[in-house]
């Protein structure tokens, strides 16, 4: 289960969600990064949908070191995003509904 999942906005406009492995004054090391993609709806009155897409899909590396000069900000994502992220990278599945057990 990812412990330190962050949303990371890069200077080029890409928004990533990844587990931060290490961070210092000049570098941040992330692992299992995915892109957060806003998908517009056909109906202009509808809210856009959010999706996740691979990032660096042609690399076998799961851990990447970013220069902090390319990072605009890092924030904690909402719980729903973290749950979805964990379902992609963890064998632990977080239930979205309350379990009812027989008495």
């Amino acid at each position: 289960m990812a412990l330190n999942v962050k949303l990371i906005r890069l200077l080029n406009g890409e928004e990533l969600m990844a587990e931060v492995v290490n961070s210092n004054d000049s570098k941040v090391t992330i692992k299992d990064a995915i892109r957060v993609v806003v998908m517009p709806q056909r109906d202009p009155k509808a809210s856009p949908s959010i999706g996740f897409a691979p990032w660096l899909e042609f690399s076998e590396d799961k851990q990447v070191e970013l220069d902090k000069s390319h990072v605009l900000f890092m924030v904690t994502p909402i719980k729903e995003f973290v749950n979805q992220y964990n379902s992609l990278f963890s064998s632990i599945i977080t239930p979205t509904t309350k379990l009812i057990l027989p008495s």
Side-chain angles (χ1 to χ4, degrees), residues 7-22:
L7 280 174
I8 303 164
R9 173 71 57 95
L10 301 178
L11 278 176
N12 66 3
E14 281 188 306
E15 194 159 318
L16 308 176
M17 190 159 48
E19 181 176 354
V20 175
V21 177
N22 192 21

Side-chain angles (χ1 to χ4, degrees), residues 11-34:
L11 278 176
N12 66 3
E14 281 188 306
E15 194 159 318
L16 308 176
M17 190 159 48
E19 181 176 354
V20 175
V21 177
N22 192 21
S23 182
N24 61 37
D25 289 341
S26 61
K27 305 276 184 193
V28 60
T29 304
I30 60 173
K31 139 180 169 180
D32 295 331
I34 55 176

Side-chain angles (χ1 to χ4, degrees), residues 30-33 55-64:
I30 60 173
K31 139 180 169 180
D32 295 331
W55 186 65
L56 299 179
E57 58 266 27
F58 302 112
S59 174
E60 291 187 17
D61 295 336
K62 300 298 178 205
Q63 194 163 300
V64 178

